[in-house]
Amino acid sequence: MPFRFTLLALPVCLAVAAVTSALAGMGAAARFTWLRPAKALAEAASGRKGLGLVRTPLGVLALAGGGVLSAVVSTLPAEKAGQSAFLVLILFCAGVGLLGPRIIGPAAWLAARVTRPFGSAAELAMINVTSQTRRFAAAVVPLTLVVGFGVTKIAVHTTAAYRTGSAGSSGEVWLDYTGTGLYAAFAAIAAANTLAMITFERRRDLALLRVVGTAPAQLRTMAAWEALVVALTALLIGTAVALLTLAPILRTAYGSALPHLPWPVPAAIAATTLTLTLLSTGIPVLTSLRRRAITAL
């Protein structure tokens, strides 16, 4: 079909972004206006433990909706199933975003048990992650979206090429891969900014650890372990979301729910995710270590 561009798209996108940002800011500030100043200060310092009466049901509803829609899609013809897959992916990703702190908590707890033999730096990193699930979930969620969206879009074409010998029309493949790359770049920037801000907000904690005798090398190792947990959590959840999204499409189209993904693709996704988390966490830590600890305190 012919491509037609309209300038109307620009003000519409700007309006959506402005309204969404304004509502998000008002919603975040509203809770603190309802609290006593002392409690508001305590929550600002240590974070809120619960998810709230609205966020939790919405997250559960989104995940349940994704599961139901996935089952419905599996009964549709192959073409319609492929067109409906994006809605399944969006619902699963929305559920992960809403329930992020609840999801990263068990993952971090499991990682803490696995990494305990690796020394005090690894144990300290796990304590940080498990005690600050809200902060780290804010970084896990965009990475999860990158992994889930990327694996889904790429696996659709690689599986088609493996099963039928053709990945689809060149224009469709180019559009999917280009769009996925742009989306992944924006989400990666969001994740990197979040991880950097998490480390920046903890500069006093890092300085205090140095004052009580923690070596700079231990702090660097601790930050690396934190980045590793964030990356692995995002990879596991993102892969699960992608598989749940792909299963009904592939079963309908090819009779098998398992995708065919050449090993360089998941290897590249895993390496990119890990590199992003290591740099986003490590660079602020290295910058913080250049200052005297007592000055930071």
Side-chain angles (χ1 to χ4, degrees):
M1 62 183 69
F3 171 73
R4 294 202 178 163
F5 178 74
T6 171
L7 290 174
L8 182 62
L10 297 178
V12 169
C13 292
L14 180 60
V16 170
V19 172
T20 303
S21 301
L23 291 177
M26 293 170 61
R31 173 171 172 77
F32 287 103
T33 63
W34 298 335
L35 296 177
R36 293 180 179 178
K39 188 173 182 181
L41 287 171
E43 282 199 5
S46 60
R48 186 183 175 192
K49 294 183 179 180
L51 285 182
L53 299 177
V54 176
R55 183 172 173 174
T56 301
L58 285 178
V60 173
L61 185 63
L63 291 179
V68 171
L69 187 59
S70 178
V72 172
V73 167
S74 64
T75 64
L76 299 176
E79 183 178 353
K80 290 185 177 180
Q83 295 172 353
S84 304
F86 187 71
L87 296 177
V88 178
L89 179 62
I90 289 297
L91 282 172
F92 280 133
C93 289
V96 170
L98 290 166
L99 299 177
R102 294 296 187 210
I103 295 175
I104 191 177
W109 180 86
L110 179 61
R113 297 300 180 272
V114 174
T115 57
R116 180 171 292 175
F118 290 94
S120 57
E123 186 174 359
L124 182 58
M126 297 310 107
I127 292 174
N128 290 335
V129 175
T130 53
S131 62
Q132 302 180 60
T133 53
R134 269 184 175 271
R135 285 182 173 179
F136 285 97
V140 169
V141 168
L143 290 173
T144 298
L145 301 183
V146 171
V147 174
F149 196 84
V151 170
T152 300
K153 285 294 186 180
I154 295 173
V156 166
H157 296 294
T158 56
T159 304
Y162 176 75
R163 297 285 184 180
T164 66
S166 172
S169 66
S170 58
E172 180 186 359
V173 174
W174 180 87
L175 186 62
D176 269 355
Y177 285 172
T178 303
T180 300
L182 290 173
Y183 177 83
F186 280 114
I189 291 171
N193 285 339
T194 303
L195 284 170
M197 287 302 301
I198 289 173
T199 306
F200 178 76
E201 291 173 355
R202 295 163 52 206
R203 62 193 184 280
R204 289 175 57 88
D205 298 337
L206 296 176
L208 182 60
L209 288 172
R210 292 168 62 192
V211 168
V212 299
T214 306
Q218 290 178 305
L219 292 178
R220 291 193 292 268
T221 305
M222 178 196 74
W225 278 109
E226 291 176 355
L228 179 62
V229 171
V230 170
L232 290 179
T233 303
L235 288 169
L236 289 174
I237 300 174
T239 301
V241 167
L243 292 177
L244 290 172
T245 303
L246 288 167
I249 307 171
L250 301 181
R251 187 183 298 112
T252 302
Y254 311 113
S256 174
L258 292 177
H260 174 78
L261 206 62
W263 69 265
V265 175
I269 293 175
T272 303
T273 303
L274 182 57
T275 302
L276 178 68
T277 56
L278 286 172
L279 291 176
S280 303
T281 304
I283 292 176
V285 168
L286 293 177
T287 303
S288 176
L289 293 178
R290 291 177 182 175
R291 301 180 62 190
R292 295 179 58 192
I294 194 64
T295 304
L297 283 175

